[in-house]
Amino acid sequence: MRTLTAAIETFRLAAPFVIARGAKTVSTVVVATIQQGEHRGRGECVPYGRYGETVDSVLAQIASLRNAIENGADREALQSMLPAGAARNAVDCALWDLEAKRLGLRAETLAGLHRIGPATTAYTLSLGTPDSMADAARAAAERPLLKLKLGGAGDPDRIAAVRAAAPDAELIVDANEAWREDDLDRNFAACVAAHVALVEQPLPAGQDGALARMTRPVPVCADESVHDRNGLAALVDRYDVINIKLDKTGGLTEALALADEGERLGFGLFVGCMVGTSLAMAPAMLLAPRARFVDLDGPLLLAEDRPHGLVYDGSMVYPPSAELWG
């Protein structure tokens, strides 16, 4: 006999997290739990307003699955029950966790993978003034990979200030759709001057055709423009890399399939996250060995992670224990 439940959990952030769309001081997550006998599987998601999600809408979607999941629906069946998004992610990852615990195997074994190892994660700097971002970069300058949240106007100054404060770090910049077509030349020039390794989602999703009409001097990564395999082929001329987030793909099952299709089409892979706990990061660790860039720093931004959280040694993140997930 199975039971499916969902709960809201809130975690304070160590500092305000600011991007082009706004700021927050807490991370509100939804955790799906599937209990079968003595075994329990969990999955965490972060509802995201940019995609029309709220905590209530995600809880309602999970509730709509209760009869099917409690009557034995598996991960394959789940894919057609809900669209890609946070709710399906929580339930999909809970099913992975439950299966691993019932069979006494690790999730990577179930996925047909070799044993996964540690990965170097990016560390995110919130959007701010050039001076405040430089201060944050200086404090994190020993980290090998920094990710800058940008906001449109003034971004070249932010990029230059961070590079001056952290001369040895590899840099990713994330515009969160805040650039416009007439900004591209100036902003890309600032990226070239600062030796930026990757530009993430410079233009709004659906308004990114200009990327296909220009010679991109820095590799460009699709984030809001890609959720799952649907429409991925249409992005080949616009992007060089795709950001795979389980809250977008609707879980690890589709994320693995998206990675396969992305590689087939010639995209590089970036594994990303929302601001959540180690329970949300753990399934994404299965994708880390294939990714050129890993951004699983959510727990580093929290005032306190959940019990049995991932182990971070500086920017090195280690695979999850079975007590946490998988």
Side-chain angles (χ1 to χ4, degrees), residues 169-241:
E170 190 171 26
L171 300 183
I172 300 168
V173 303
D174 183 4
N176 282 120
E177 305 180 282
W179 292 0
R180 296 296 178 262
E181 186 172 347
D182 57 5
D183 297 330
L184 290 178
D185 287 344
R186 180 166 53 92
N187 289 336
F188 272 116
C191 291
V192 171
H195 303 290
V196 167
L198 188 74
V199 175
E200 193 176 346
Q201 197 67 45
L203 297 174
Q207 302 175 37
D208 48 8
L211 297 172
R213 299 191 295 270
M214 66 179 294
T215 299
R216 299 186 292 272
V218 177
V220 179
C221 176
D223 183 1
E224 287 84 354
S225 288
V226 59
H227 291 247
D228 55 17
R229 287 168 289 172
N230 295 326
L232 183 59
L235 303 180
V236 168
D237 62 346
R238 303 179 187 192
Y239 295 96
D240 309 290
V241 178

Side-chain angles (χ1 to χ4, degrees), residues 22-136:
K24 64 181 183 178
T25 57
V26 298
S27 174
T28 302
V29 308
V30 174
V31 176
T33 301
I34 304 174
Q35 189 81 33
Q36 185 171 351
E38 64 184 22
H39 302 291
R40 180 187 70 166
R42 297 184 301 163
E44 177 184 309
C45 70
V46 181
Y48 196 35
R50 167 65 179 81
Y51 304 136
E53 297 172 338
T54 66
V55 168
D56 287 342
S57 73
V58 165
L59 288 173
Q61 285 184 303
I62 294 174
S64 75
L65 300 172
R66 185 165 292 122
N67 286 340
I69 296 299
E70 293 183 351
N71 283 297
D74 60 10
R75 286 184 280 109
E76 182 178 357
L78 174 65
Q79 306 310 303
S80 62
M81 293 179 183
L82 283 182
R88 196 177 79 188
N89 176 35
V91 178
D92 182 73
C93 290
L95 286 168
W96 276 95
D97 189 28
L98 178 65
E99 185 176 357
K101 289 179 168 59
R102 286 183 57 244
L103 297 178
L105 300 171
R106 296 311 310 268
E108 61 263 30
T109 302
L110 297 178
L113 305 175
H114 296 296
R115 184 176 182 275
I116 57 174
T120 299
T121 180
Y123 181 76
T124 303
L125 306 181
S126 285
L127 174 65
T129 66
D131 286 346
S132 68
M133 293 187 73
D135 289 342

